[in-house]
Amino acid sequence: MNLPQNVATKPSALASLVVELRQYTLKPGRRDTLIGIFDGRLIEGQEDAGMTIIGQFRDLDRPDMFVWMRGFDGMDARKNALAAFYGGPVWAANSHAANETMIDSDDVLLLKPAWPGAGFNLAGKQRPSLADDKKPIQNKPLTGIAVIEIHHLQPGTEADFATRFEIETACLMTADARLLAAFVTEHAENSFPRLPVRADENVFISVMGFASTEAHARHQAALAASSAWQDFWQAAQLGLTKQTETLRLSPTSQSLVGR
């Protein structure tokens, strides 16, 4: 994909020791409106405040869901960055229009990399410039998709699950799949209580990249036929407290993940 004149983002999000996974329930038919506001007016202000806007997506299976992720260098950095942005002029100018599209914005998981190096590597990733307001924001989704699986675990088992996932599934990745990142719950106290998080969750999250929905389907079929995968999954299910959530996500044109 050839991009127009670009501006560099932070060279790598591996330094993001804290990541938020945010799922917003929107009013019917308002998702593209929010994406236009977010991609066109809110990314630069958040990154100027010290955040990394990792990716933002349309949920392919839930037409009124907007899913996005942002990263911080730590809990104190999160507090300072959120205070700067939500107390600043960019949010003041756009908060009413953004909030008008939403029913609920409190479905938020606070996360940390599941093992050293498991965060997103955004080195070399760029998005089209947002500085030139004469350029229209492209709301068409990109071809690739990201698939997030949220595994709900018994308290205190996230590290063991992550270790097993890292070791046992490495040889099960098909040519269609790329493991983009993996996270577990960050149990530190919410450093910015104005924005609630699901504090009682214990999760392991994998983020996979695929060239298309068809590529994801091929990967799923290959896993279903793999006895090694079946062995891993049968053992893993013993530690789950509820059904695994699978989010099939199409990145917006300004998302760094999925392009």
Side-chain angles (χ1 to χ4, degrees), residues 2 65 83 93 114 127 134 164 171 201 205 214 230 241 257:
N2 294 322
M65 294 296 295
R127 60 169 61 93
K134 295 181 181 179
R164 290 200 59 200
C171 61
E201 296 287 348
I205 291 178
E214 292 78 13
Q230 295 302 324
T241 59
V257 170

Side-chain angles (χ1 to χ4, degrees), residues 13-131:
L14 287 175
S16 292
L17 302 178
V18 176
V19 169
E20 294 176 350
L21 172 60
R22 310 185 67 87
Q23 300 186 62
Y24 290 1
T25 303
L26 306 181
K27 297 174 182 177
R30 301 301 302 279
R31 184 163 66 183
D32 280 353
T33 299
L34 178 60
I35 289 172
I37 295 168
F38 191 100
D39 280 4
R41 307 179 202 169
L42 300 180
I43 294 177
E44 188 173 10
Q46 292 182 85
E47 294 196 329
D48 286 346
M51 313 176 207
T52 299
I53 305 305
I54 296 168
Q56 57 274 18
F57 311 91
R58 296 172 173 87
D59 189 309
L60 292 174
D61 301 305
R62 300 177 294 173
D64 298 316
M65 294 296 295
F66 175 65
V67 180
W68 64 292
M69 303 182 79
R70 62 183 172 190
F72 309 85
D73 291 338
M75 292 300 289
D76 288 340
R78 175 178 179 268
K79 175 182 178 180
N80 294 335
L82 293 178
F85 176 73
Y86 289 104
V90 174
W91 183 241
N94 295 285
S95 58
H96 178 74
N99 287 333
E100 275 295 300
T101 69
M102 302 177 195
I103 294 175
D104 177 70
S105 61
D106 291 345
D107 187 347
V108 181
L109 291 171
L110 196 60
L111 308 167
K112 61 184 179 182
W115 57 79
F120 288 102
N121 184 352
L122 302 181
K125 294 285 188 179
Q126 297 176 316
R127 60 169 61 93
S129 173
L130 297 175

Side-chain angles (χ1 to χ4, degrees), residues 21 23 57-63 65 67 107 109 145-152 161 165 198 203-210 212-213 216-217 219-220 223 229 233 237 240 242-250:
L21 172 60
Q23 300 186 62
F57 311 91
R58 296 172 173 87
D59 189 309
L60 292 174
D61 301 305
R62 300 177 294 173
M65 294 296 295
V67 180
D107 187 347
L109 291 171
I145 68 167
V147 176
I148 296 178
E149 290 192 342
I150 305 173
H151 305 283
H152 298 269
F161 188 98
F165 184 93
R198 288 159 58 183
V203 300
F204 173 87
I205 291 178
S206 63
V207 187
M208 306 288 292
F210 298 89
S212 64
T213 55
H216 176 237
H219 175 73
Q220 292 296 98
L223 291 184
W229 172 258
W233 187 235
Q237 284 184 307
L240 300 183
K242 58 183 176 181
Q243 186 174 359
T244 294
E245 300 175 64
T246 299
L247 313 182
R248 299 190 311 140
L249 306 172
S250 175

